[in-house]
Amino acid sequence: MQNSHHKIVITLIALFTILQIIVLLVFGYTPYPDSNGYIEIAKECINGQDLYPMVSKLNEYGFLWNVGAINAVILSLKLFNSIVPLLVIYCLMKGFTALFIYQITKTISNEKIAFITLILYVLYPANYGEGTSTHSELPFIFFTLLGLWLCITKKQLFVGGMSLAFANWFRPMGIVFLLAIMIFLFINKKQIWKPLVGYIAMIIVIGSLYYLRTGLFIYQAKTGWMALSDYSTDHIPASLAIRDNSNWNVSEKDAAWKELFFEWLKEHPVDYFKQMPRKLINTYVSDNVNMCVFLPNKAEREYMYEELSMRTLFRCFPNYSAIQWLTLINLLYYYCILLTVFLSLYYLSIKKYILPLSVIILGTSILLIAGHGEARFHIPFMPFFIMLSAFFINKRICKG
């Protein structure tokens, strides 16, 4: 019986992975604005025979984008003169995320809940097509889940911490998962210092390599203060002046963004807190972004999201195209996950499910405090919402 269950799990994960590649082959590259931006910067770096950020342009960059994601594109273009090999790797990474989620859930709960989690994950429409762009979320989630899997399932705490820091190189949210695993280890009376030391060690390695090349200690993107300042101060002339100042390098500009934001905050503390409900709504109101993968003529669209935006879906109902119906199904699936997570709070053991709870609470809090609110921002938390949803389904529907 155990053998049979194991084969079913492996088959589901294999099919999920194969479908990722099929979606890539059938629907092709998805030209999200950020993804296109990464590719343009990567080409510029290749022409300048440098990695990102280019030493010669440190004073030209208005901010530092997701470093790992752009350098991954550079590597693919340099080796293959194409981003397709990178996208295939991303599809394989997506398959491994299903394995990591299953193993992590199995370790913190039981095999039945882990299997329900896996089923929910592979059936979720939004989980298909991420590998068709160079967005930073997919590699970030892969290395994050790898790190958590190493810490929780394999007891490799130091290496797991290093993986979390490497994920942070792709997208600067690694601290959320580092704090979550430390809370998990503390609750379970395990050594919390090992993943912390591994995390710091990897940051020192990445930052030192960049320091030797650029003279700046760079280990992650520098967009946070810029985004806070821009979205809080409504793109005031001072923020534009910082972006265009060729006398400052990206680190100095980041410090200037920070100073500008805190100057605004001193005078507008109420406005700052009044933004938080809007940020929360913008972050969790929809999960439509990945549905753009299935749009026809993606490259020719002036605004790719328009057809699948909440405003358009509301206005056009029920006269939908096939992709809009799929998006609606995905939305209903997403809302059911959120609802079951909310209902699960009544039943679950805080100690047992401290990891997914910590990720969701810490991640959402940091987005409210230091983010500006976009639907894409909650994507790294979805595996943990699905874990809690699986717990509720097992408890109330399967009577586990």
Side-chain angles (χ1 to χ4, degrees), residues 100 103-104 107-108 141-157 159-161 163-164 174 176-182 184-185 195 355-356 359 380 383-384 387:
F100 295 148
Q103 293 286 355
I104 291 168
T107 305
I108 67 173
I141 294 168
F142 169 80
F143 286 109
T144 295
L145 291 173
L146 172 62
L148 296 179
W149 176 72
L150 287 168
C151 288
I152 295 168
T153 305
K154 296 300 180 182
K155 314 302 181 191
Q156 297 291 326
L157 302 180
V159 182
S163 184
L164 293 178
V176 169
F177 299 88
L178 175 66
L179 292 174
I181 192 61
M182 290 175 69
F184 172 85
L185 294 172
L355 179 69
V359 167
F384 304 91
M387 287 179 196

Side-chain angles (χ1 to χ4, degrees), residues 38-52:
Y38 295 168
I39 294 169
E40 288 305 310
I41 292 173
K43 288 177 178 177
E44 184 179 56
C45 290
I46 290 172
N47 290 335
Q49 297 183 324
D50 203 350
L51 296 173
Y52 179 76

Side-chain angles (χ1 to χ4, degrees), residues 260-278:
L260 180 63
F261 169 71
F262 278 109
E263 284 177 1
W264 175 85
L265 181 60
K266 286 177 186 176
E267 298 178 8
H268 304 86
V270 175
D271 289 340
Y272 170 70
F273 286 102
K274 282 170 66 176
Q275 291 174 359
M276 290 185 175
R278 175 183 54 79

Side-chain angles (χ1 to χ4, degrees), residues 342-391:
F342 179 76
L343 295 174
S344 75
L345 299 177
Y346 181 77
Y347 300 100
L348 59 78
S349 161
I350 301 297
K351 180 179 178 180
K352 194 172 183 180
Y353 289 92
I354 192 64
L355 179 69
L357 287 170
S358 295
V359 167
I360 294 168
I361 293 169
L362 288 170
T364 302
S365 299
I366 286 176
L367 288 178
L368 294 181
I369 294 168
H372 59 267
E374 281 187 34
R376 272 177 62 195
F377 291 173
H378 76 257
I379 291 175
F381 311 146
M382 284 310 298
F384 304 91
F385 279 103
I386 291 174
M387 287 179 196
L388 296 180
S389 179
F391 165 79

